[in-house]
Each structure stands twice: as structure tokens, then as C-alpha cells.
Amino acid sequence: MADKKGANGKQRRLRSREWFDAPGDPTMAALYLERYLNFGLTLAELHGNRPIIGIAQTGSDLSPCNRHHLQLAERVRDGIRDAGGIPIEFPVHPIQETGKRPTAALDRNLAYLSLVESLYGYFFDGVVLTTGCDKTTPAMIMGACTVNIPAIVLSGGPMLDGHFAGGLAGSGTIVWYARQELAAGRIDLKQFLEMVASSAPSVGHCNTMGTALSMNSMAEALGLSLTGCAAIPGPYRERGQMAYETGKRIVDMVWEDLKPSDILTHKAFENAIVAASALGASTNCPPHVNAIARHIGVKLDNADWDRIGYDIPLLVNCMPAGKYLGEAFHRAGGVPTVMAELLKKKKGRGDALTVTGKTMAENLAKAKPADGDVIKTYDKPMLGQAGFAVLSGNLFDSAIMKTSVISPEFRKKYLERKSDPDAFEGTAIVFEGPEDYHHRINDPKLPIDENSILFIRNVGPVGYPGAAEVVNMLPPDRLVKGGVLLLPCVGDGRQSGTSASPSILNASPEAAVGGGLALLKTGDKVRVDIGKRRADILIPEKELAERKAAWKPHVKESQTPWQELQRKFVGQLASGACLDFAVNYQRIVETKGAPRHSH
């Protein structure tokens, strides 16, 4: 069969032909072909000029948030077949936020590596990336960026809305609320478990604007998903319809040679940043999106999140920054409505190219208008400034604070002092990880009061390892019973995107590699000035230098080979917590050519 012409009118020889035609070496072609016939594929299919499309399968029993991708893949296959392609489904390393210890973040880079090897070492012309639970989205996109073959993201969608005692029960968010109720003695353990379980009523990922929905929204804002894909709930019929359309579209993307590098320009990342602010998105978005940028070769850092996104208003009224959940967000118009509202005010880049082959602005021409309740208008937002504040000082070079979840109570207590607005000072209480926190938080000898700032360290990419979601620490039970539900929290780890705690987190460099948090002692006075974007230990420079000179690494022993390997090569959260050597491998199909033959 003759090579087909792409959308640009040029002849395209499919990458898969290097395997199944193997020019000049029919023996190798036969070797590659024969075993793929043993489950029913035909020579006519594999020896023809039909795009071979991978379906990167993240669903499994280990990954319940993504498990329905096992069924959605059937509709993806239908779309690929109807468009003239051949679907080949394959597994990727499982990642489940709520199941993996010590943290699912440890496996993001492992899943990335495995996807790179699958996409490069096998015969794929294009790939559908199935995503859902938090780390699956960045891992899949990072892998596709490195190999740089045509790729499209199919989200699994959020669960249906959860309900408890007549109100909405949001994934994760209800955990933090129930934890307060348990600490205050208003519920028992059985009631605690019932409350938490109520938030998971169906297939799908978190139904709050946690990391899962945030990162799948990022995929759409970046232009890597079909319009409207991110927020369709997992059980809705439209999710299966989106799977079918995604399968069809990837085949045309192969003929058009539309690759991640064509889409993921700086314009796309600007769209992601403004969308994250308007969504009230997870604090995990900056490290994941920064990691994607590094793997595609676009310069992006935390300062860009503050510069581009800080002044963007909060438009989406979803937990944890609001009151609704994923179903309402989808029905109100989802990401397209939010992006259209932003572009009307010239926030973001309408000329950014997307997987549709059209620009973001063209895709949004028929987006629903904002309803004013679930999705606010730009002129009447929930909050005027909702982006991430990026802080630095002698505690760290870079850390982020999610301003969209600063409650009126927190703001009044800490940030509205007439003599010192947008700043607060307090006494540090330092924990050496979550075990130390849980062991000592209710110790009556620990001098914690409402003027304390809780710190947790050695929980970053190297120290934990993997960077744990442990920064949003609950005050001691005695304070909770007295009505003090939040204290300022700071750490070199992460926190769940479902948490409404306005913590300062993702501190880089982390304590385990000698960052400023390593030098902090319980009892030190600390000043946080959000207006000036500073966070500092208030001790003399001489004493700080003496502490630094006396510091010794405090890292727990690795428990597995992968933990040791990750610790050796992983970077800091501010730069995406990538494997630093891996970002040197970019667009490898173009730069490295075809892999060597296997025989």
C-alpha cells in the first residue's frame, strides 16, 4: 500500500513500517510480524499502511480511580478502528494515590520511564494516554513528551457527587473535615469511616477539585485533550462517547504528524497557569506542570506561576475552595467555560494549538457561558486574586502557597493586622516527618498554642522519598476542641489537592539536601510576609551559618532498589521533581532515530 498523505499534503511513512516492512531486511520484518498474529491480527492489517495506535492503559484493580479505563478502552478501540487504525493496548506501571506507600509520588517517575521505553522501543505511530488518578496524568504526558510521537489524553473523569447527612461529600475534603470532628470528640471512629466512605459513590477519580481533576483540567488547558474531556464524570455516557472520539482523532493526528512538541509551546503553559488559578487547582499542579515543561524543553518555573497566575480570579465554586463537586462543574460547562471566560478578558492565549488541529479559541467558540454560580464570571468572581504565591527566604529558595483556600477566618487572624498586613510571625514547632508528628502532636509538654507555626521536614523527593502529602497538619486535639481548627503549616513535602489548608509547601531545596528547613529548631521565631513573598527564620546570620556548618544529612534508609535510584537522581519540587538526567532525552524519535534491531 502506498504511503498516505498527511494534512500538509506530504507523504508520510509511518514509524511502524520500520518494524513491519523493515526495508532491506525481510527476515526482521517476519520476526516482528509473526508473534503479533497469534491472537488474531492478520498479515493484511500489520503489513498494510495503517497507523498502529497504542492505548497506554493505567486502569487495573490496583488503581480503582482509573479502573473503568479497562471498559473505556473498548470505545477507544472502536474509534481507532473506524478511523482506519490498529489499536494495541498495553499496561503501564500502576499508580494509585490512596493505596501506594510510602507515597504515589514515588512512582510518577517510574511510570514515566516505563512509558518512554514502551513508546520508543515498540512500533507505535501514536498513543492514547489514559489518565485519572493524580500522578497518572503527568507521568503519561511526560513520557509522550520525551518520545514525541502524536499523543492525546483521555481522562477517566471524576466520580459522581458523594452525599452525607443531607450535604455533599467531596473526596478527600471530607477526610480533613471528619478528622477535625474526630479530634473534637463529636464523632467516633465508626462515624468517621462512614463519612469518608460516602465520598466515593462510583467509578472515577476524586470529585473535588483535587489533584486528579486539576491535572486532567491541566491536560485540557494545555491543549492535549479534546474539548470538554476533563470533567465528564466517569459513569456518564458522554465519557464513553469522548473515548470513541479520542480514538478517532489520534489516527488523524498521526497522518497530520501533530506531536506534543507542536502543542506544548509556552503559550500552552500560560493557558495552564491561568486555568489553574481560575479553577482553584491543586498545589500539586506547579511541580507536575513544571515537569512536563522540562521534558518538552520549555522554560518554566515557579516564578511564572506567580507572575502569570497570581492576579487571576477564582471562577470555579468547587471544593475545597468552594461548595460544589465535579458533576456540577461538568454541567456548568467545565474547562471550556472557564477558558472562554478567561480569553474574553485576554487572559491566556487563544492562539495556542491543540490536539484538534485548531486553536484554543476556535475550540471554545461554542462554549457555555458562565452560570454565575458554579462557574463565576470574570467580573464577579469568588475571589479577586486566586493564584499561587511563590515565597523565598532563608527557609527555602522557593515554596508555594495556594491563596484560593485562605479562609476569611485565617485571613482575619493572620493577614489583616493593620500594622503588618499580609504578614504574620509565630513560634516554630518542628516535626521530623509524619511519624514524629503523629507521635508528639498531642504531647501536653509540646508548647503549641494558637501563635505556633507547624513545620514538617524530611518529607520531600529525597527525604521521604517521593515527597509525601503530609504538610496539612491538624492542630492538637485540645486546640481543635477549643475551636482552633487551623494553624499555619510549612513543609518540604506536599499536601493533597483536596485540602483547604493554606499551607506553605513544596519547599525547595528540601531539608534532606541541606535546605533552610534543615536548620530550623523548635522555638525559633519565624516571619512569613506574603506581600513581600518572604519566609525567614528570625535569627542572626552568624547563628544561621553556624547551624549550617554543623548540619548533617538526615535521610532514612531506602527500602527498595527504586527508592535508592530515585533518591540518587531526583530533583527538587520547584523544578518538577524530575529525574534530572532524564530531561536530557527529548524528542528521541527525531534525535535518536529508530532503535537497533532486536536480532
Side-chain angles (χ1 to χ4, degrees):
M1 184 181 293
D3 292 343
K4 183 175 177 178
K5 291 184 178 180
N8 58 10
K10 295 181 179 179
Q11 296 280 359
R12 278 221 64 209
R13 179 175 174 81
L14 297 174
R15 180 173 181 264
S16 56
R17 298 306 94 211
E18 299 299 321
W19 276 256
F20 298 137
D21 281 350
D25 198 339
T27 302
M28 288 307 305
L31 178 66
Y32 295 130
L33 279 165
E34 60 92 15
R35 206 53 57 93
Y36 288 96
L37 305 177
N38 73 2
F39 62 93
L41 288 175
T42 67
L43 275 172
E45 290 172 294
L46 293 178
H47 213 254
N49 197 45
R50 298 175 63 175
I52 297 180
I53 307 298
I55 303 173
Q57 181 56 266
T58 59
S60 70
D61 289 355
L62 263 185
S63 304
C65 292
N66 291 28
R67 192 181 186 282
H68 57 304
H69 272 303
L70 296 173
Q71 286 74 49
L72 289 173
E74 293 302 316
R75 292 300 288 146
V76 177
R77 286 173 174 272
D78 292 342
I80 292 169
R81 281 283 179 184
D82 284 356
I86 299 173
I88 298 287
E89 187 175 346
F90 64 96
V92 297
H93 182 81
I95 313 177
Q96 176 60 34
E97 194 65 38
T98 56
K100 176 64 193 286
R101 298 169 72 176
T103 170
L106 185 67
D107 283 8
R108 188 202 69 179
N109 289 338
L110 185 57
Y112 152 77
L113 287 176
S114 73
L115 182 62
V116 168
E117 291 305 310
S118 294
L119 294 184
Y120 182 60
Y122 289 89
F123 38 71
F124 297 115
D125 298 304
V127 63
V128 174
L129 308 170
T130 66
T131 66
C133 190
D134 299 9
K135 311 301 176 294
T136 57
T137 307
M140 296 300 95
I141 298 173
M142 289 158 58
C145 286
T146 296
V147 181
N148 202 35
I149 61 173
I152 190 169
V153 171
L154 174 66
S155 306
M159 293 182 284
L160 300 178
D161 290 357
H163 297 271
F164 185 84
L168 288 172
S171 312
T173 300
I174 199 170
V175 176
W176 319 125
Y177 172 71
R179 192 170 65 166
Q180 292 173 349
E181 293 295 287
L182 184 66
R186 290 188 285 268
I187 61 173
D188 59 23
L189 181 59
K190 182 174 183 294
Q191 292 168 309
F192 175 86
L193 295 174
E194 288 174 349
M195 288 179 70
V196 173
S198 70
S199 68
S202 74
V203 299
H205 58 63
C206 286
N207 50 25
T208 49
M209 192 57 71
T211 305
L213 185 50
S214 295
M215 279 308 301
N216 286 288
S217 295
M218 292 297 93
E220 186 172 335
L222 285 166
L224 291 174
S225 292
L226 294 181
T227 307
C229 178
I232 302 169
Y236 277 29
R237 69 180 183 185
E238 289 88 348
R239 178 54 64 192
Q241 292 166 347
M242 181 60 72
Y244 175 76
E245 294 299 333
T246 299
K248 285 182 64 179
R249 178 58 194 152
I250 187 60
V251 176
D252 282 340
M253 288 177 65
V254 168
W255 290 122
E256 295 163 15
D257 198 25
L258 182 57
K259 301 182 295 295
S261 60
D262 301 313
I263 296 165
L264 294 176
T265 63
H266 203 278
K267 296 175 184 178
F269 290 99
E270 290 178 42
N271 283 339
I273 290 173
V274 296
S277 299
L279 291 164
S282 166
T283 50
N284 289 301
C285 288
H288 290 324
V289 174
N290 289 355
I292 293 167
R294 289 189 72 193
H295 282 288
I296 202 65
V298 171
K299 190 178 186 320
L300 193 78
D301 57 31
N302 278 354
D304 292 310
W305 287 81
D306 197 318
R307 177 179 59 84
I308 297 170
Y310 183 76
D311 290 328
I312 298 297
L314 178 63
L315 303 184
V316 177
N317 188 7
C318 277
M319 298 181 191
K323 66 179 183 180
Y324 293 108
L325 296 173
E327 279 194 89
F329 177 52
H330 166 64
R331 290 196 301 269
V335 175
T337 294
V338 175
M339 292 300 299
E341 192 67 20
L342 290 168
L343 291 186
K344 278 197 302 186
K345 297 296 182 178
K346 302 190 184 308
K347 304 299 181 181
R349 300 296 296 269
D351 57 340
L353 184 64
T354 73
V355 291
T356 67
K358 300 177 182 178
T359 65
M360 181 65 71
E362 289 173 318
N363 291 343
L364 301 176
K366 296 182 180 180
K368 284 185 180 180
D371 66 357
D373 184 17
V374 181
I375 301 177
K376 306 291 185 179
T377 63
Y378 194 95
D379 293 329
K380 294 181 179 180
M382 291 185 67
L383 184 68
Q385 293 174 315
F388 297 103
V390 179
L391 289 76
S392 61
N394 62 17
L395 280 167
F396 37 72
D397 293 343
S398 182
I400 63 172
M401 185 178 192
K402 181 177 175 179
T403 61
S404 63
V405 292
I406 298 177
S407 66
E409 296 79 14
F410 189 98
R411 187 174 295 279
K412 183 177 181 180
K413 177 171 178 56
Y414 295 105
L415 301 174
E416 291 184 352
R417 295 182 299 174
K418 291 183 180 179
S419 61
D420 197 12
D422 290 327
F424 59 91
E425 295 181 5
T427 303
I429 305 293
V430 184
F431 298 101
E432 303 291 347
E435 296 86 359
D436 184 34
Y437 162 75
H438 290 299
H439 179 67
R440 291 196 297 130
I441 186 61
N442 286 312
D443 185 342
K445 297 178 182 179
L446 199 61
I448 301 180
D449 59 25
E450 61 181 16
N451 297 310
S452 298
I453 303 176
L454 305 183
F455 285 83
I456 191 165
R457 66 188 176 198
N458 296 306
V459 291
V462 174
Y464 200 67
E469 291 188 335
V470 294
V471 178
N472 52 323
M473 294 169 283
L474 189 69
D477 292 355
R478 59 183 172 80
L479 289 185
V480 175
K481 290 175 182 176
V484 179
L485 303 181
L486 281 175
L487 288 174
C489 296
V490 184
D492 54 10
R494 304 173 300 113
Q495 74 182 29
S496 170
T498 65
S499 171
S501 172
S503 307
I504 297 169
L505 63 161
N506 300 2
S508 304
E510 62 184 296
V513 298
L517 287 180
L519 312 180
L520 188 67
K521 294 181 179 179
T522 291
D524 284 343
K525 295 297 181 182
V526 172
R527 176 176 174 80
V528 175
D529 191 325
I530 296 174
K532 294 181 179 178
R533 303 293 198 269
R534 295 283 306 182
D536 296 282
I537 319 172
L538 300 180
I539 61 173
E541 287 294 325
K542 181 180 178 182
E543 182 177 349
L544 192 65
E546 289 172 350
R547 291 186 188 183
K548 190 172 183 65
W551 174 79
K552 294 181 180 179
H554 178 79
V555 177
K556 291 181 179 293
E557 182 182 2
S558 293
Q559 298 166 310
T560 66
W562 170 241
Q563 288 184 16
E564 181 176 345
L565 194 62
Q566 161 100 350
R567 278 177 156 152
K568 183 176 181 180
F569 293 107
V570 74
Q572 293 295 293
L573 284 168
S575 58
C578 302
L579 298 172
D580 282 338
F581 74 90
V583 298
N584 296 320
Y585 292 81
Q586 294 183 2
R587 310 182 188 196
I588 60 176
V589 165
E590 303 159 49
T591 58
K592 304 296 184 182
R596 298 171 70 179
H597 282 303
S598 61
H599 285 70

